[in-house]
Amino acid sequence: MKLTWYGHSCFLLETGSHRLLFDPWLNQNPRSPVRAEDIRCDVIFCSHAHDDHMADALEIARKNRATIVAPFELAEHFAAQGATTCDPMPGGTVSLPFGTAKVTPAVHSSTLELGSGRFLPLGEPVGYLVSVNQKQVYHAGDTALFSDMKLIGRAGIDVALLPIGGWYTMGIDDAVEALDLLNPRLAVPMHYGTSEKIQADPAVFQGRAAACGHAVKILQPGESLDI
Ligand code: NI
Ligand code: MN
């Protein structure tokens, strides 16, 4: 399988017969090498309602007739605009044409920005543990470190996609501790370098992780990894 990073928290996982897109934020993403109209996919995962995780979801879903997987309230928001959706909540596992996806908790918020400082609460933020072709891929979404990552790690994670930027999510120190709890075969850092507040250095994360026995692969935007 091929995993491609488009900057921030947006990844495309190509399985051979399916294309899974995570947290689509491309057209406003300063580090994305592609535009929303360039994406081909059949499933779109959204971790929460913040713009930098779903701004391009509807456009891509419409163009590709893709299903949007999102926690219940956010899925309803998309369904009301005509999208085909799947609405599992934390703890739930859904079977989809490519395999299964289990929804995991995340410590963050999930609000839709209405402008003028007003926000619409849209349920819980989540992460996803995707099982496809005998591989387990964990996209943590936006989250703080939490001790129940230990439970998520029981699945035997092949690749963990973890925020390291700090400020809005866990930073490097906590992300290294997350590796101790999750124990993935490989981790890929995300959610850094796209705004002034989240300028974490992924090489520092990689170095500290290595000192604790964890493998980290730093991707450049547009770069792919075989998993
Ligand atoms: Ni967020
Ligand atoms: Mn975010």
PDB file of all heavy atoms in Angstrom, residues 52-91:
ATOM      1  N   ASP A  52      -9.319  23.009   9.124  1.00  0.00           N
ATOM      2  CA  ASP A  52      -8.049  22.453   8.646  1.00  0.00           C
ATOM      3  C   ASP A  52      -8.061  20.927   8.622  1.00  0.00           C
ATOM      4  O   ASP A  52      -7.022  20.295   8.404  1.00  0.00           O
ATOM      5  CB  ASP A  52      -6.874  22.984   9.486  1.00  0.00           C
ATOM      6  CG  ASP A  52      -6.995  22.663  10.961  1.00  0.00           C
ATOM      7  OD1 ASP A  52      -8.099  22.818  11.525  1.00  0.00           O
ATOM      8  OD2 ASP A  52      -5.984  22.243  11.569  1.00  0.00           O
ATOM      9  N   HIS A  53      -9.265  20.334   8.811  1.00  0.00           N
ATOM     10  CA  HIS A  53      -9.401  18.873   8.734  1.00  0.00           C
ATOM     11  C   HIS A  53     -10.526  18.430   7.809  1.00  0.00           C
ATOM     12  O   HIS A  53     -10.703  17.237   7.588  1.00  0.00           O
ATOM     13  CB  HIS A  53      -9.606  18.291  10.144  1.00  0.00           C
ATOM     14  CG  HIS A  53      -8.427  18.567  11.012  1.00  0.00           C
ATOM     15  ND1 HIS A  53      -7.422  17.653  11.215  1.00  0.00           N
ATOM     16  CD2 HIS A  53      -8.052  19.699  11.656  1.00  0.00           C
ATOM     17  CE1 HIS A  53      -6.470  18.200  11.966  1.00  0.00           C
ATOM     18  NE2 HIS A  53      -6.839  19.441  12.245  1.00  0.00           N
ATOM     19  N   MET A  54     -11.276  19.405   7.276  1.00  0.00           N
ATOM     20  CA  MET A  54     -12.429  18.998   6.464  1.00  0.00           C
ATOM     21  C   MET A  54     -12.856  20.024   5.420  1.00  0.00           C
ATOM     22  O   MET A  54     -13.875  19.830   4.764  1.00  0.00           O
ATOM     23  CB  MET A  54     -13.629  18.689   7.363  1.00  0.00           C
ATOM     24  CG  MET A  54     -14.013  19.871   8.245  1.00  0.00           C
ATOM     25  SD  MET A  54     -15.706  19.759   8.798  1.00  0.00           S
ATOM     26  CE  MET A  54     -16.430  21.139   7.953  1.00  0.00           C
ATOM     27  N   ALA A  55     -12.092  21.090   5.255  1.00  0.00           N
ATOM     28  CA  ALA A  55     -12.556  22.182   4.394  1.00  0.00           C
ATOM     29  C   ALA A  55     -12.919  21.704   2.987  1.00  0.00           C
ATOM     30  O   ALA A  55     -13.851  22.210   2.377  1.00  0.00           O
ATOM     31  CB  ALA A  55     -11.498  23.280   4.326  1.00  0.00           C
ATOM     32  N   ASP A  56     -12.182  20.720   2.463  1.00  0.00           N
ATOM     33  CA  ASP A  56     -12.413  20.280   1.083  1.00  0.00           C
ATOM     34  C   ASP A  56     -13.197  18.968   0.992  1.00  0.00           C
ATOM     35  O   ASP A  56     -13.311  18.386  -0.093  1.00  0.00           O
ATOM     36  CB  ASP A  56     -11.069  20.131   0.362  1.00  0.00           C
ATOM     37  CG  ASP A  56     -10.314  21.459   0.310  1.00  0.00           C
ATOM     38  OD1 ASP A  56     -10.950  22.487   0.019  1.00  0.00           O
ATOM     39  OD2 ASP A  56      -9.105  21.466   0.584  1.00  0.00           O
ATOM     40  N   ALA A  57     -13.724  18.508   2.118  1.00  0.00           N
ATOM     41  CA  ALA A  57     -14.378  17.190   2.133  1.00  0.00           C
ATOM     42  C   ALA A  57     -15.570  17.117   1.183  1.00  0.00           C
ATOM     43  O   ALA A  57     -15.703  16.169   0.399  1.00  0.00           O
ATOM     44  CB  ALA A  57     -14.812  16.834   3.553  1.00  0.00           C
ATOM     45  N   LEU A  58     -16.451  18.110   1.254  1.00  0.00           N
ATOM     46  CA  LEU A  58     -17.669  18.044   0.438  1.00  0.00           C
ATOM     47  C   LEU A  58     -17.361  18.094  -1.061  1.00  0.00           C
ATOM     48  O   LEU A  58     -17.917  17.312  -1.841  1.00  0.00           O
ATOM     49  CB  LEU A  58     -18.613  19.188   0.801  1.00  0.00           C
ATOM     50  CG  LEU A  58     -19.679  18.895   1.848  1.00  0.00           C
ATOM     51  CD1 LEU A  58     -20.459  20.168   2.148  1.00  0.00           C
ATOM     52  CD2 LEU A  58     -20.617  17.777   1.392  1.00  0.00           C
ATOM     53  N   GLU A  59     -16.477  18.995  -1.440  1.00  0.00           N
ATOM     54  CA  GLU A  59     -16.134  19.115  -2.862  1.00  0.00           C
ATOM     55  C   GLU A  59     -15.553  17.800  -3.386  1.00  0.00           C
ATOM     56  O   GLU A  59     -15.934  17.310  -4.462  1.00  0.00           O
ATOM     57  CB  GLU A  59     -15.125  20.254  -3.065  1.00  0.00           C
ATOM     58  CG  GLU A  59     -14.695  20.385  -4.523  1.00  0.00           C
ATOM     59  CD  GLU A  59     -13.514  21.342  -4.740  1.00  0.00           C
ATOM     60  OE1 GLU A  59     -13.312  22.250  -3.909  1.00  0.00           O
ATOM     61  OE2 GLU A  59     -12.807  21.159  -5.752  1.00  0.00           O
ATOM     62  N   ILE A  60     -14.639  17.221  -2.623  1.00  0.00           N
ATOM     63  CA  ILE A  60     -13.997  15.974  -3.061  1.00  0.00           C
ATOM     64  C   ILE A  60     -15.015  14.828  -3.061  1.00  0.00           C
ATOM     65  O   ILE A  60     -15.039  14.002  -3.977  1.00  0.00           O
ATOM     66  CB  ILE A  60     -12.783  15.652  -2.170  1.00  0.00           C
ATOM     67  CG1 ILE A  60     -11.711  16.735  -2.342  1.00  0.00           C
ATOM     68  CG2 ILE A  60     -12.209  14.273  -2.497  1.00  0.00           C
ATOM     69  CD1 ILE A  60     -10.576  16.654  -1.335  1.00  0.00           C
ATOM     70  N   ALA A  61     -15.872  14.793  -2.048  1.00  0.00           N
ATOM     71  CA  ALA A  61     -16.880  13.724  -1.966  1.00  0.00           C
ATOM     72  C   ALA A  61     -17.826  13.786  -3.164  1.00  0.00           C
ATOM     73  O   ALA A  61     -18.155  12.763  -3.767  1.00  0.00           O
ATOM     74  CB  ALA A  61     -17.664  13.844  -0.664  1.00  0.00           C
ATOM     75  N   ARG A  62     -18.257  14.993  -3.504  1.00  0.00           N
ATOM     76  CA  ARG A  62     -19.187  15.157  -4.636  1.00  0.00           C
ATOM     77  C   ARG A  62     -18.548  14.706  -5.931  1.00  0.00           C
ATOM     78  O   ARG A  62     -19.134  13.955  -6.709  1.00  0.00           O
ATOM     79  CB  ARG A  62     -19.603  16.619  -4.756  1.00  0.00           C
ATOM     80  CG  ARG A  62     -20.628  17.019  -3.719  1.00  0.00           C
ATOM     81  CD  ARG A  62     -21.152  18.437  -3.972  1.00  0.00           C
ATOM     82  NE  ARG A  62     -22.097  18.783  -2.924  1.00  0.00           N
ATOM     83  CZ  ARG A  62     -22.069  19.928  -2.240  1.00  0.00           C
ATOM     84  NH1 ARG A  62     -21.159  20.844  -2.509  1.00  0.00           N
ATOM     85  NH2 ARG A  62     -22.958  20.169  -1.295  1.00  0.00           N
ATOM     86  N   LYS A  63     -17.343  15.164  -6.154  1.00  0.00           N
ATOM     87  CA  LYS A  63     -16.669  14.890  -7.414  1.00  0.00           C
ATOM     88  C   LYS A  63     -16.370  13.401  -7.592  1.00  0.00           C
ATOM     89  O   LYS A  63     -16.396  12.873  -8.698  1.00  0.00           O
ATOM     90  CB  LYS A  63     -15.367  15.693  -7.466  1.00  0.00           C
ATOM     91  CG  LYS A  63     -14.702  15.699  -8.805  1.00  0.00           C
ATOM     92  CD  LYS A  63     -13.780  16.900  -8.943  1.00  0.00           C
ATOM     93  CE  LYS A  63     -13.367  17.040 -10.391  1.00  0.00           C
ATOM     94  NZ  LYS A  63     -12.653  18.296 -10.614  1.00  0.00           N
ATOM     95  N   ASN A  64     -16.072  12.716  -6.477  1.00  0.00           N
ATOM     96  CA  ASN A  64     -15.664  11.313  -6.529  1.00  0.00           C
ATOM     97  C   ASN A  64     -16.778  10.338  -6.135  1.00  0.00           C
ATOM     98  O   ASN A  64     -16.544   9.140  -6.095  1.00  0.00           O
ATOM     99  CB  ASN A  64     -14.468  11.095  -5.591  1.00  0.00           C
ATOM    100  CG  ASN A  64     -13.212  11.786  -6.087  1.00  0.00           C
ATOM    101  OD1 ASN A  64     -12.463  11.230  -6.856  1.00  0.00           O
ATOM    102  ND2 ASN A  64     -12.989  13.024  -5.648  1.00  0.00           N
ATOM    103  N   ARG A  65     -17.960  10.881  -5.779  1.00  0.00           N
ATOM    104  CA  ARG A  65     -19.012  10.042  -5.190  1.00  0.00           C
ATOM    105  C   ARG A  65     -18.463   9.229  -4.032  1.00  0.00           C
ATOM    106  O   ARG A  65     -18.745   8.032  -3.866  1.00  0.00           O
ATOM    107  CB  ARG A  65     -19.621   9.103  -6.236  1.00  0.00           C
ATOM    108  CG  ARG A  65     -20.292   9.849  -7.383  1.00  0.00           C
ATOM    109  CD  ARG A  65     -20.721   8.884  -8.476  1.00  0.00           C
ATOM    110  NE  ARG A  65     -21.166   9.592  -9.667  1.00  0.00           N
ATOM    111  CZ  ARG A  65     -22.387  10.074  -9.866  1.00  0.00           C
ATOM    112  NH1 ARG A  65     -23.308   9.909  -8.942  1.00  0.00           N
ATOM    113  NH2 ARG A  65     -22.693  10.718 -10.964  1.00  0.00           N
ATOM    114  N   ALA A  66     -17.637   9.860  -3.230  1.00  0.00           N
ATOM    115  CA  ALA A  66     -16.986   9.191  -2.098  1.00  0.00           C
ATOM    116  C   ALA A  66     -17.862   9.265  -0.860  1.00  0.00           C
ATOM    117  O   ALA A  66     -18.665  10.185  -0.698  1.00  0.00           O
ATOM    118  CB  ALA A  66     -15.641   9.869  -1.815  1.00  0.00           C
ATOM    119  N   THR A  67     -17.718   8.281   0.003  1.00  0.00           N
ATOM    120  CA  THR A  67     -18.396   8.280   1.300  1.00  0.00           C
ATOM    121  C   THR A  67     -17.558   9.048   2.309  1.00  0.00           C
ATOM    122  O   THR A  67     -16.348   8.840   2.389  1.00  0.00           O
ATOM    123  CB  THR A  67     -18.570   6.825   1.801  1.00  0.00           C
ATOM    124  OG1 THR A  67     -19.401   6.122   0.876  1.00  0.00           O
ATOM    125  CG2 THR A  67     -19.206   6.782   3.180  1.00  0.00           C
ATOM    126  N   ILE A  68     -18.205   9.932   3.061  1.00  0.00           N
ATOM    127  CA  ILE A  68     -17.502  10.634   4.144  1.00  0.00           C
ATOM    128  C   ILE A  68     -17.760   9.909   5.465  1.00  0.00           C
ATOM    129  O   ILE A  68     -18.911   9.731   5.860  1.00  0.00           O
ATOM    130  CB  ILE A  68     -17.973  12.096   4.285  1.00  0.00           C
ATOM    131  CG1 ILE A  68     -17.745  12.874   2.973  1.00  0.00           C
ATOM    132  CG2 ILE A  68     -17.242  12.777   5.443  1.00  0.00           C
ATOM    133  CD1 ILE A  68     -18.243  14.320   3.020  1.00  0.00           C
ATOM    134  N   VAL A  69     -16.683   9.479   6.108  1.00  0.00           N
ATOM    135  CA  VAL A  69     -16.770   8.893   7.443  1.00  0.00           C
ATOM    136  C   VAL A  69     -16.441  10.000   8.439  1.00  0.00           C
ATOM    137  O   VAL A  69     -15.385  10.630   8.360  1.00  0.00           O
ATOM    138  CB  VAL A  69     -15.772   7.728   7.616  1.00  0.00           C
ATOM    139  CG1 VAL A  69     -15.927   7.109   9.010  1.00  0.00           C
ATOM    140  CG2 VAL A  69     -15.975   6.677   6.526  1.00  0.00           C
ATOM    141  N   ALA A  70     -17.371  10.243   9.359  1.00  0.00           N
ATOM    142  CA  ALA A  70     -17.177  11.300  10.353  1.00  0.00           C
ATOM    143  C   ALA A  70     -18.027  10.959  11.568  1.00  0.00           C
ATOM    144  O   ALA A  70     -19.041  10.262  11.442  1.00  0.00           O
ATOM    145  CB  ALA A  70     -17.596  12.659   9.779  1.00  0.00           C
ATOM    146  N   PRO A  71     -17.655  11.463  12.752  1.00  0.00           N
ATOM    147  CA  PRO A  71     -18.487  11.209  13.929  1.00  0.00           C
ATOM    148  C   PRO A  71     -19.886  11.793  13.721  1.00  0.00           C
ATOM    149  O   PRO A  71     -20.072  12.736  12.965  1.00  0.00           O
ATOM    150  CB  PRO A  71     -17.728  11.885  15.074  1.00  0.00           C
ATOM    151  CG  PRO A  71     -16.714  12.768  14.429  1.00  0.00           C
ATOM    152  CD  PRO A  71     -16.443  12.211  13.075  1.00  0.00           C
ATOM    153  N   PHE A  72     -20.879  11.214  14.403  1.00  0.00           N
ATOM    154  CA  PHE A  72     -22.298  11.386  14.111  1.00  0.00           C
ATOM    155  C   PHE A  72     -22.732  12.800  13.725  1.00  0.00           C
ATOM    156  O   PHE A  72     -23.283  13.014  12.638  1.00  0.00           O
ATOM    157  CB  PHE A  72     -23.124  10.875  15.316  1.00  0.00           C
ATOM    158  CG  PHE A  72     -24.594  11.138  15.188  1.00  0.00           C
ATOM    159  CD1 PHE A  72     -25.368  10.429  14.285  1.00  0.00           C
ATOM    160  CD2 PHE A  72     -25.208  12.121  15.964  1.00  0.00           C
ATOM    161  CE1 PHE A  72     -26.724  10.682  14.149  1.00  0.00           C
ATOM    162  CE2 PHE A  72     -26.562  12.381  15.831  1.00  0.00           C
ATOM    163  CZ  PHE A  72     -27.316  11.663  14.929  1.00  0.00           C
ATOM    164  N   GLU A  73     -22.480  13.770  14.587  1.00  0.00           N
ATOM    165  CA  GLU A  73     -22.997  15.122  14.309  1.00  0.00           C
ATOM    166  C   GLU A  73     -22.359  15.726  13.060  1.00  0.00           C
ATOM    167  O   GLU A  73     -23.027  16.399  12.271  1.00  0.00           O
ATOM    168  CB  GLU A  73     -22.774  16.049  15.510  1.00  0.00           C
ATOM    169  CG  GLU A  73     -23.600  15.698  16.746  1.00  0.00           C
ATOM    170  CD  GLU A  73     -22.932  14.669  17.639  1.00  0.00           C
ATOM    171  OE1 GLU A  73     -21.908  14.059  17.236  1.00  0.00           O
ATOM    172  OE2 GLU A  73     -23.431  14.472  18.764  1.00  0.00           O
ATOM    173  N   LEU A  74     -21.069  15.489  12.892  1.00  0.00           N
ATOM    174  CA  LEU A  74     -20.379  16.020  11.718  1.00  0.00           C
ATOM    175  C   LEU A  74     -20.862  15.294  10.456  1.00  0.00           C
ATOM    176  O   LEU A  74     -21.051  15.917   9.403  1.00  0.00           O
ATOM    177  CB  LEU A  74     -18.856  15.861  11.896  1.00  0.00           C
ATOM    178  CG  LEU A  74     -17.969  16.373  10.776  1.00  0.00           C
ATOM    179  CD1 LEU A  74     -18.251  17.836  10.439  1.00  0.00           C
ATOM    180  CD2 LEU A  74     -16.489  16.185  11.155  1.00  0.00           C
ATOM    181  N   ALA A  75     -21.118  14.005  10.573  1.00  0.00           N
ATOM    182  CA  ALA A  75     -21.652  13.250   9.438  1.00  0.00           C
ATOM    183  C   ALA A  75     -23.021  13.790   9.034  1.00  0.00           C
ATOM    184  O   ALA A  75     -23.332  13.932   7.846  1.00  0.00           O
ATOM    185  CB  ALA A  75     -21.734  11.755   9.783  1.00  0.00           C
ATOM    186  N   GLU A  76     -23.842  14.125  10.031  1.00  0.00           N
ATOM    187  CA  GLU A  76     -25.161  14.701   9.740  1.00  0.00           C
ATOM    188  C   GLU A  76     -25.031  16.038   9.010  1.00  0.00           C
ATOM    189  O   GLU A  76     -25.804  16.355   8.106  1.00  0.00           O
ATOM    190  CB  GLU A  76     -25.944  14.899  11.046  1.00  0.00           C
ATOM    191  CG  GLU A  76     -26.453  13.603  11.651  1.00  0.00           C
ATOM    192  CD  GLU A  76     -27.537  12.966  10.795  1.00  0.00           C
ATOM    193  OE1 GLU A  76     -28.593  13.585  10.603  1.00  0.00           O
ATOM    194  OE2 GLU A  76     -27.314  11.846  10.295  1.00  0.00           O
ATOM    195  N   HIS A  77     -24.043  16.807   9.420  1.00  0.00           N
ATOM    196  CA  HIS A  77     -23.766  18.097   8.762  1.00  0.00           C
ATOM    197  C   HIS A  77     -23.472  17.874   7.279  1.00  0.00           C
ATOM    198  O   HIS A  77     -23.982  18.602   6.412  1.00  0.00           O
ATOM    199  CB  HIS A  77     -22.586  18.767   9.480  1.00  0.00           C
ATOM    200  CG  HIS A  77     -21.969  19.911   8.744  1.00  0.00           C
ATOM    201  ND1 HIS A  77     -22.555  21.157   8.686  1.00  0.00           N
ATOM    202  CD2 HIS A  77     -20.822  20.001   8.025  1.00  0.00           C
ATOM    203  CE1 HIS A  77     -21.786  21.965   7.971  1.00  0.00           C
ATOM    204  NE2 HIS A  77     -20.733  21.294   7.549  1.00  0.00           N
ATOM    205  N   PHE A  78     -22.675  16.857   6.970  1.00  0.00           N
ATOM    206  CA  PHE A  78     -22.354  16.564   5.569  1.00  0.00           C
ATOM    207  C   PHE A  78     -23.562  15.955   4.840  1.00  0.00           C
ATOM    208  O   PHE A  78     -23.824  16.275   3.679  1.00  0.00           O
ATOM    209  CB  PHE A  78     -21.171  15.606   5.483  1.00  0.00           C
ATOM    210  CG  PHE A  78     -19.849  16.223   5.847  1.00  0.00           C
ATOM    211  CD1 PHE A  78     -19.010  15.626   6.770  1.00  0.00           C
ATOM    212  CD2 PHE A  78     -19.431  17.405   5.248  1.00  0.00           C
ATOM    213  CE1 PHE A  78     -17.778  16.186   7.093  1.00  0.00           C
ATOM    214  CE2 PHE A  78     -18.197  17.981   5.568  1.00  0.00           C
ATOM    215  CZ  PHE A  78     -17.370  17.366   6.493  1.00  0.00           C
ATOM    216  N   ALA A  79     -24.288  15.080   5.528  1.00  0.00           N
ATOM    217  CA  ALA A  79     -25.444  14.425   4.904  1.00  0.00           C
ATOM    218  C   ALA A  79     -26.502  15.463   4.518  1.00  0.00           C
ATOM    219  O   ALA A  79     -27.145  15.356   3.470  1.00  0.00           O
ATOM    220  CB  ALA A  79     -26.035  13.384   5.859  1.00  0.00           C
ATOM    221  N   ALA A  80     -26.657  16.498   5.352  1.00  0.00           N
ATOM    222  CA  ALA A  80     -27.639  17.550   5.074  1.00  0.00           C
ATOM    223  C   ALA A  80     -27.285  18.315   3.807  1.00  0.00           C
ATOM    224  O   ALA A  80     -28.134  18.987   3.222  1.00  0.00           O
ATOM    225  CB  ALA A  80     -27.717  18.508   6.268  1.00  0.00           C
ATOM    226  N   GLN A  81     -26.022  18.209   3.404  1.00  0.00           N
ATOM    227  CA  GLN A  81     -25.592  18.881   2.166  1.00  0.00           C
ATOM    228  C   GLN A  81     -25.465  17.902   1.015  1.00  0.00           C
ATOM    229  O   GLN A  81     -24.820  18.191  -0.003  1.00  0.00           O
ATOM    230  CB  GLN A  81     -24.278  19.616   2.422  1.00  0.00           C
ATOM    231  CG  GLN A  81     -24.484  20.755   3.422  1.00  0.00           C
ATOM    232  CD  GLN A  81     -23.181  21.358   3.886  1.00  0.00           C
ATOM    233  OE1 GLN A  81     -22.625  22.207   3.212  1.00  0.00           O
ATOM    234  NE2 GLN A  81     -22.686  20.893   5.012  1.00  0.00           N
ATOM    235  N   GLY A  82     -26.056  16.708   1.198  1.00  0.00           N
ATOM    236  CA  GLY A  82     -26.161  15.776   0.085  1.00  0.00           C
ATOM    237  C   GLY A  82     -25.091  14.709   0.008  1.00  0.00           C
ATOM    238  O   GLY A  82     -25.094  13.900  -0.921  1.00  0.00           O
ATOM    239  N   ALA A  83     -24.179  14.680   0.974  1.00  0.00           N
ATOM    240  CA  ALA A  83     -23.102  13.687   0.913  1.00  0.00           C
ATOM    241  C   ALA A  83     -23.587  12.318   1.393  1.00  0.00           C
ATOM    242  O   ALA A  83     -24.507  12.216   2.203  1.00  0.00           O
ATOM    243  CB  ALA A  83     -21.927  14.137   1.768  1.00  0.00           C
ATOM    244  N   THR A  84     -22.961  11.273   0.871  1.00  0.00           N
ATOM    245  CA  THR A  84     -23.142   9.919   1.403  1.00  0.00           C
ATOM    246  C   THR A  84     -22.208   9.795   2.597  1.00  0.00           C
ATOM    247  O   THR A  84     -21.003  10.080   2.482  1.00  0.00           O
ATOM    248  CB  THR A  84     -22.758   8.870   0.349  1.00  0.00           C
ATOM    249  OG1 THR A  84     -23.599   9.071  -0.790  1.00  0.00           O
ATOM    250  CG2 THR A  84     -22.941   7.465   0.881  1.00  0.00           C
ATOM    251  N   THR A  85     -22.749   9.405   3.737  1.00  0.00           N
ATOM    252  CA  THR A  85     -21.944   9.420   4.950  1.00  0.00           C
ATOM    253  C   THR A  85     -22.002   8.109   5.717  1.00  0.00           C
ATOM    254  O   THR A  85     -22.896   7.283   5.500  1.00  0.00           O
ATOM    255  CB  THR A  85     -22.406  10.550   5.907  1.00  0.00           C
ATOM    256  OG1 THR A  85     -23.775  10.323   6.225  1.00  0.00           O
ATOM    257  CG2 THR A  85     -22.233  11.924   5.273  1.00  0.00           C
ATOM    258  N   CYS A  86     -21.066   7.970   6.630  1.00  0.00           N
ATOM    259  CA  CYS A  86     -21.010   6.864   7.583  1.00  0.00           C
ATOM    260  C   CYS A  86     -20.670   7.523   8.909  1.00  0.00           C
ATOM    261  O   CYS A  86     -19.737   8.323   8.973  1.00  0.00           O
ATOM    262  CB  CYS A  86     -19.923   5.887   7.129  1.00  0.00           C
ATOM    263  SG  CYS A  86     -19.657   4.497   8.233  1.00  0.00           S
ATOM    264  N   ASP A  87     -21.453   7.253   9.972  1.00  0.00           N
ATOM    265  CA  ASP A  87     -21.405   8.117  11.156  1.00  0.00           C
ATOM    266  C   ASP A  87     -21.044   7.416  12.470  1.00  0.00           C
ATOM    267  O   ASP A  87     -21.678   7.644  13.496  1.00  0.00           O
ATOM    268  CB  ASP A  87     -22.760   8.806  11.311  1.00  0.00           C
ATOM    269  CG  ASP A  87     -23.885   7.802  11.575  1.00  0.00           C
ATOM    270  OD1 ASP A  87     -23.620   6.575  11.552  1.00  0.00           O
ATOM    271  OD2 ASP A  87     -25.016   8.252  11.824  1.00  0.00           O
ATOM    272  N   PRO A  88     -19.998   6.609  12.504  1.00  0.00           N
ATOM    273  CA  PRO A  88     -19.661   5.911  13.756  1.00  0.00           C
ATOM    274  C   PRO A  88     -19.113   6.865  14.811  1.00  0.00           C
ATOM    275  O   PRO A  88     -18.650   7.958  14.503  1.00  0.00           O
ATOM    276  CB  PRO A  88     -18.582   4.916  13.324  1.00  0.00           C
ATOM    277  CG  PRO A  88     -17.896   5.600  12.183  1.00  0.00           C
ATOM    278  CD  PRO A  88     -19.000   6.336  11.450  1.00  0.00           C
ATOM    279  N   MET A  89     -19.171   6.408  16.048  1.00  0.00           N
ATOM    280  CA  MET A  89     -18.700   7.200  17.203  1.00  0.00           C
ATOM    281  C   MET A  89     -17.603   6.424  17.927  1.00  0.00           C
ATOM    282  O   MET A  89     -17.401   5.236  17.665  1.00  0.00           O
ATOM    283  CB  MET A  89     -19.884   7.463  18.131  1.00  0.00           C
ATOM    284  CG  MET A  89     -20.903   8.435  17.567  1.00  0.00           C
ATOM    285  SD  MET A  89     -20.275  10.116  17.585  1.00  0.00           S
ATOM    286  CE  MET A  89     -20.894  10.655  19.175  1.00  0.00           C
ATOM    287  N   PRO A  90     -16.897   7.076  18.853  1.00  0.00           N
ATOM    288  CA  PRO A  90     -15.773   6.406  19.537  1.00  0.00           C
ATOM    289  C   PRO A  90     -16.169   5.053  20.122  1.00  0.00           C
ATOM    290  O   PRO A  90     -17.213   4.921  20.774  1.00  0.00           O
ATOM    291  CB  PRO A  90     -15.395   7.403  20.628  1.00  0.00           C
ATOM    292  CG  PRO A  90     -15.726   8.732  20.020  1.00  0.00           C
ATOM    293  CD  PRO A  90     -17.001   8.488  19.245  1.00  0.00           C
ATOM    294  N   GLY A  91     -15.329   4.045  19.876  1.00  0.00           N
ATOM    295  CA  GLY A  91     -15.620   2.683  20.302  1.00  0.00           C
ATOM    296  C   GLY A  91     -16.241   1.858  19.211  1.00  0.00           C
ATOM    297  O   GLY A  91     -16.166   0.623  19.235  1.00  0.00           O
TER     298      GLY A  91
END
